[in-house]
Amino acid sequence: MTMLTKNSFLEEISKQYVLTARAKGLTERTVLYRHVFRNALIPLVTGFPGSFVAAFFSGSLLIETIFSLDGLGLLGYESVINRDYPVVLATLYFYTLLGLITKLITDLTYVVADPRITFDSAQ
């Protein structure tokens, strides 16, 4: 994630509109926050929530199983071992619902980061 952030910012800084903003006499702070940060934020908003949720799901399963902690990860693991299918489906449902909510928040964050993005269907 750090590499994505660094590469995204370096790519945006080297673009033509940043050079134009500097040539217009804008301060470095204005150029970085108003122009570079908002455009570099879009790939970060795309990548971070997905990787966080994936790490959360796999981490809860792994940590709770290894250390015998009570939680949804251990419940899902034990229900798979015991072939308790309704509990397996309930844990999968919960994790899927959490993932979908995260994706919805990600899509709403796109609009905050870049107001030019709309989700209207072209008909």
Side-chain angles (χ1 to χ4, degrees):
M1 197 43 117
T2 305
M3 289 293 292
L4 177 66
T5 304
K6 181 190 78 132
N7 291 337
S8 178
F9 273 87
L10 288 177
E11 182 180 335
E12 289 297 321
I13 285 175
S14 65
K15 289 195 175 173
Q16 191 70 33
Y17 68 91
V18 176
L19 183 63
T20 304
R22 286 184 180 140
K24 286 181 4 184
L26 295 175
T27 63
E28 191 67 23
R29 182 180 202 150
T30 305
V31 170
L32 287 177
Y33 283 112
R34 181 173 277 170
H35 297 285
V36 175
F37 182 70
R38 293 187 87 178
N39 290 323
L41 191 65
I42 294 173
L44 298 176
V45 169
T46 304
F48 179 70
S51 63
F52 177 74
V53 169
F56 176 72
F57 293 163
S58 61
S60 69
L61 176 71
L62 186 66
I63 297 298
E64 290 172 7
T65 304
I66 290 173
F67 295 109
S68 297
L69 299 171
D70 290 333
L72 202 56
L74 183 63
L75 177 69
Y77 175 73
E78 287 179 350
S79 62
V80 167
I81 297 300
N82 296 328
R83 295 184 182 184
D84 190 6
Y85 297 120
V87 177
V88 171
L89 292 176
T91 57
L92 287 176
Y93 176 77
F94 178 75
Y95 282 139
T96 303
L97 189 65
L98 193 61
L100 287 173
I101 290 171
T102 304
K103 289 195 183 289
L104 176 67
I105 292 171
T106 300
D107 287 344
L108 293 176
T109 309
Y110 283 144
V111 177
V112 172
D114 191 1
R116 296 174 295 175
I117 297 174
T118 60
F119 294 111
D120 296 335
S121 62
Q123 292 183 5

